[in-house]
Amino acid sequence: MNFRVMRAKKNGRDVLLWDTQIVRISDEALSSVVEIMKWVSEAHSLAEEWFFGLIEGDLVRRFQ
C-alpha cells in the first residue's frame, strides 16, 4: 500500500489531499474478470479500512 498525504487550499479553505494506492505484486496475472473484480473489491475494502482507521478522532471531526 502506498500513501501520499498533502495539505492544500481549495476555494481559500484548507483541504487534505489523500492518495492511497494498493499495488499487487505477483509473477502471475489474474486470469479472469471475476478474479480481477474480486481483487479490486478486496483492495478497495483494505484501503477504506486503513483510511478510516488513520483519520478517526480529531482529524475526521475537523474535516466533516
Side-chain angles (χ1 to χ4, degrees), residues 2 6 13 21-22 26 31 33 36 40-41 44 48-49 51-52 57:
N2 298 315
M6 297 150 280
R13 295 182 57 191
Q21 299 175 2
I22 307 290
S26 176
S31 61
V33 172
I36 293 167
V40 168
S41 178
H44 181 268
E48 188 175 66
E49 182 181 322
F51 175 77
F52 285 108

Side-chain angles (χ1 to χ4, degrees), residues 2-62:
N2 298 315
F3 296 89
R4 281 191 323 163
V5 179
M6 297 150 280
R7 185 176 175 181
K9 295 271 186 189
K10 181 177 179 181
N11 299 327
R13 295 182 57 191
D14 286 337
V15 296
L16 181 66
L17 301 177
W18 191 296
D19 179 30
T20 305
Q21 299 175 2
I22 307 290
V23 180
R24 182 176 187 272
I25 301 172
S26 176
D27 291 338
E28 295 182 27
L30 297 172
S31 61
S32 72
V33 172
V34 172
E35 287 180 326
I36 293 167
M37 295 308 294
K38 181 177 184 258
W39 185 88
V40 168
S41 178
E42 290 171 356
H44 181 268
S45 294
L46 178 63
E48 188 175 66
E49 182 181 322
W50 273 68
F51 175 77
F52 285 108
L54 289 168
I55 68 164
E56 76 180 321
D58 291 340
L59 184 58
V60 75
R61 283 190 293 276
R62 180 171 179 198

